[in-house]
Amino acid sequence: MEEKQESIFEKINNNIKTSVSIKLLSIGFLIAVLLIPNSMIKSLISERKINQIEAVEEVSQKWGAPVEITGPILTIPFNRTHKGVDGPYTTKHYAHFLPSQLDVKGKLNPEKRKRGIYEVIVYNSELSAEGQFEALDFSNFQVEEESILWSEAFVSIGIPDMAGIQSDIQIQFGENTYRAGSGIPVQDLLSSGVNSKVAINSESKSIPFSFDLNINGTESLSFNPIGKTTNISLASTWPHPSFGGQFLPDSYNITDNGFTAEWSVFDLNRNYPQQWEGRAHQISNSSFGVDLYQPVDNYQRNTRSAKYAILILFLTFITFFFVEILNKKRIHPIQYILVGLALTVFYTLLLSLSEQVGFNNAYLIASTIIVGMVSLYAKSILQSSKLAMVMFGFFTLIYSFIFIILQLEDFALLVGSFGLVLVLGFCMYLSRKVDWYNIKSKEIISHAS
């Protein structure tokens, strides 16, 4: 009974050694199995990315969150009289006025901060705003002159995270200067920011204003176009801006030394008027600005690199397969698995190193280790220094090619597609004289002799 089982085992083993079809099926199966740890590596990269986001949030709480500036907005309370069952009564309402002109000039001074192993982009912004309010018109509010509470008028500026404010905010309004206080008295439009009472009356005409902001933020700076005409001009030494929001800049210039950008937005470009009562309109979905963008950060590169795992596995296994066919060498499936595991470990090595020394240096170190390991192993199993050098050259070429693709953004797909075409053409070239129908019998005869 034992001899019969051994005979069956030997028959199966012999078929695996001599059958090209079974060899290809086994290679395909091994690639599919090795993609399981690759998916686990992708999950690990996602987990580390989440940890980075948490680090950014922690830094933001101490340094300052992404900044979105809204204002100034002039608010004037008024009383409205109603007829009731027990006699007339009054209720307080609020008229909100937006400036006719708002011009902001700003400078962003970026910094890189570390939280553990994670890098966070923060900045200090120096903003100077000026503009004017047109003569105030209450005709749309249906209110009598004596019901307007001019003495309670105030100006508010929306700032989501007050922790980022670095100095007092002095508001020049008309002929007077006021120190802004924290909080928004009436949260019809804004939930966080600063405000100041201002002197104004029915005889006030065009009212100029100006103020400066020195505020810290993280990653992005944006504005809401509350002026009838809103002009924003920004400059920074950050060389990788990403302009976002509802409006792109009218003009910009980006160099290795930084960027400048200018926006002009009009009241017709947004979905709310220049004045209204209470919560009739909301300032939302109209912000625009800039993100201090990192073109391809560490975890994005690791994720993109892991996506090429199946390509590297396929090219490696198909190369070993052609070595078997063309040089009549024997490579056991276990040896395929060990090579595949080495190629898979590359991604964990790359991830862990990139968090310490940067992606480019990590890629060089990790690929050198793996290429050297697999090439030495190939020399051992193939018993040929020449074939080992060929494998070394192949691995160096493929990892260099993947690195080049990872550096590209706009042309990665184009370059990758041409690379695959070249690889396919090379495989077709190698197999052009292989007699696939007779390869089994030839190998058996050669093995027997």
Side-chain angles (χ1 to χ4, degrees):
M1 184 68 179
E2 291 180 0
E3 293 180 359
K4 185 178 180 181
Q5 289 179 346
E6 185 178 356
S7 177
I8 293 174
F9 177 79
E10 289 180 350
K11 184 177 181 181
I12 294 174
N13 191 48
N14 188 57
N15 285 333
I16 292 175
K17 288 195 298 182
T18 59
S19 174
V20 175
S21 299
I22 293 178
K23 175 67 71 173
L24 288 173
L25 287 174
S26 63
I27 288 175
F29 176 75
L30 292 177
I31 290 176
V33 170
L34 289 169
L35 288 179
I36 296 175
N38 182 256
S39 65
M40 297 171 65
I41 291 171
K42 290 181 180 179
S43 298
L44 178 61
I45 296 172
S46 298
E47 180 182 338
R48 305 295 283 185
K49 179 65 175 178
I50 291 172
N51 291 341
Q52 183 191 43
I53 294 173
E54 291 175 351
V56 171
E57 292 176 350
E58 188 173 347
V59 171
S60 297
Q61 290 175 359
K62 296 179 174 66
W63 177 269
V67 175
E68 182 177 318
I69 304 298
T70 306
I73 299 172
L74 176 60
T75 300
I76 304 175
F78 63 89
N79 289 327
R80 181 171 286 143
T81 302
H82 307 272
K83 293 181 181 180
V85 177
D86 299 326
Y89 65 94
T90 62
T91 56
K92 181 180 284 190
H93 300 260
Y94 296 88
H96 306 294
F97 297 87
L98 305 184
S100 59
Q101 183 74 28
L102 174 62
D103 299 322
V104 179
K105 293 183 179 180
K107 182 179 180 181
L108 277 72
N109 304 306
E111 297 180 30
K112 292 183 178 181
R113 292 296 177 98
K114 286 280 190 177
R115 184 60 180 173
I117 62 173
Y118 301 106
E119 188 176 77
V120 182
I121 305 301
V122 300
Y123 65 85
N124 171 261
S125 60
E126 301 171 4
L127 306 174
S128 296
E130 62 180 22
Q132 64 181 13
F133 289 90
E134 293 180 342
L136 305 177
D137 182 9
F138 273 86
S139 59
N140 293 330
F141 297 98
Q142 298 179 352
V143 59
E144 297 178 357
E145 176 67 28
E146 58 272 16
S147 298
I148 301 174
L149 305 176
W150 297 103
S151 62
E152 298 183 22
F154 63 90
V155 167
S156 55
I157 302 171
I159 302 173
D161 185 10
M162 306 291 284
I165 298 175
Q166 298 300 297
S167 63
D168 280 348
I169 300 176
Q170 304 289 331
I171 301 177
Q172 179 75 32
F173 191 84
E175 298 179 353
N176 301 312
T177 301
Y178 306 89
R179 180 184 181 277
S182 61
I184 305 296
V186 180
Q187 297 187 351
D188 286 348
L189 307 178
L190 305 171
S191 58
S192 176
V194 298
N195 83 96
S196 175
K197 285 191 173 183
V198 293
I200 193 172
N201 55 54
S202 59
E203 297 179 358
S204 299
K205 302 300 181 182
S206 178
I207 309 169
F209 66 84
S210 64
F211 61 88
D212 294 330
L213 288 177
N214 187 331
I215 186 168
N216 289 341
T218 305
E219 294 189 329
S220 67
L221 172 65
S222 59
F223 302 86
N224 277 297
I226 55 106
K228 192 170 186 178
T229 300
T230 301
N231 297 312
I232 306 294
S233 177
L234 295 178
S236 176
T237 57
W238 186 254
H240 307 295
S242 175
F243 303 114
Q246 295 299 306
F247 307 101
L248 295 176
D250 297 313
S251 62
Y252 63 89
N253 182 44
I254 303 173
T255 67
D256 293 337
N257 298 320
F259 74 90
T260 59
E262 296 182 352
W263 292 260
S264 290
V265 183
F266 305 98
D267 58 332
L268 296 176
N269 301 134
R270 60 180 202 226
N271 198 31
Y272 48 87
Q274 284 298 109
Q275 59 184 48
W276 66 87
E277 176 184 336
R279 300 174 181 267
H281 298 277
Q282 293 295 315
I283 299 174
S284 61
N285 301 323
S286 61
S287 64
F288 62 93
V290 63
D291 294 336
L292 302 185
Y293 168 71
Q294 298 193 70
V296 182
D297 70 17
N298 179 45
Y299 297 106
Q300 285 178 321
R301 289 184 177 186
N302 273 279
T303 301
R304 289 177 60 191
S305 177
K307 291 179 179 179
Y308 291 101
I310 186 172
L311 175 63
I312 294 179
L313 284 171
F314 173 78
L315 292 178
T316 301
F317 283 7
I318 204 68
T319 301
F320 274 105
F321 173 75
F322 275 113
V323 168
E324 284 192 77
I325 297 299
L326 299 177
N327 295 276
K328 297 182 174 59
K329 300 291 184 178
R330 298 294 184 188
I331 303 177
H332 196 274
I334 294 297
Q335 294 169 323
Y336 275 98
I337 291 176
L338 291 175
V339 171
L341 289 175
L343 298 177
T344 302
V345 168
F346 165 79
Y347 298 101
T348 57
L349 189 61
L350 175 63
L351 175 61
S352 58
L353 285 172
S354 65
E355 293 179 335
Q356 305 298 328
V357 299
F359 183 84
N360 290 349
N361 291 331
Y363 194 95
L364 176 62
I365 296 170
S367 60
T368 300
I369 292 173
I370 298 302
V371 168
M373 181 187 299
V374 175
S375 298
L376 289 174
Y377 188 62
K379 179 182 179 181
S380 175
I381 63 177
L382 298 175
Q383 297 295 312
S384 171
S385 298
K386 181 179 179 181
L387 289 177
M389 289 302 298
V390 171
M391 299 301 290
F392 177 82
F394 164 77
F395 287 122
T396 302
L397 180 63
I398 192 63
Y399 276 102
S400 299
F401 175 69
I402 296 298
F403 181 77
I404 292 172
I405 292 178
L406 293 174
Q407 303 306 307
L408 301 174
E409 294 183 56
D410 298 331
F411 301 102
L413 179 60
L414 178 64
V415 174
S417 298
F418 274 103
L420 289 176
V421 170
L422 290 175
V423 169
L424 179 60
F426 182 68
C427 291
M428 295 171 69
Y429 174 81
L430 291 178
S431 63
R432 71 193 189 284
K433 294 183 178 180
V434 175
D435 187 353
W436 297 100
Y437 287 105
N438 296 318
I439 190 171
K440 178 178 178 181
S441 59
K442 287 181 180 180
E443 287 187 350
I444 292 174
I445 293 170
S446 173
H447 182 66
S449 64

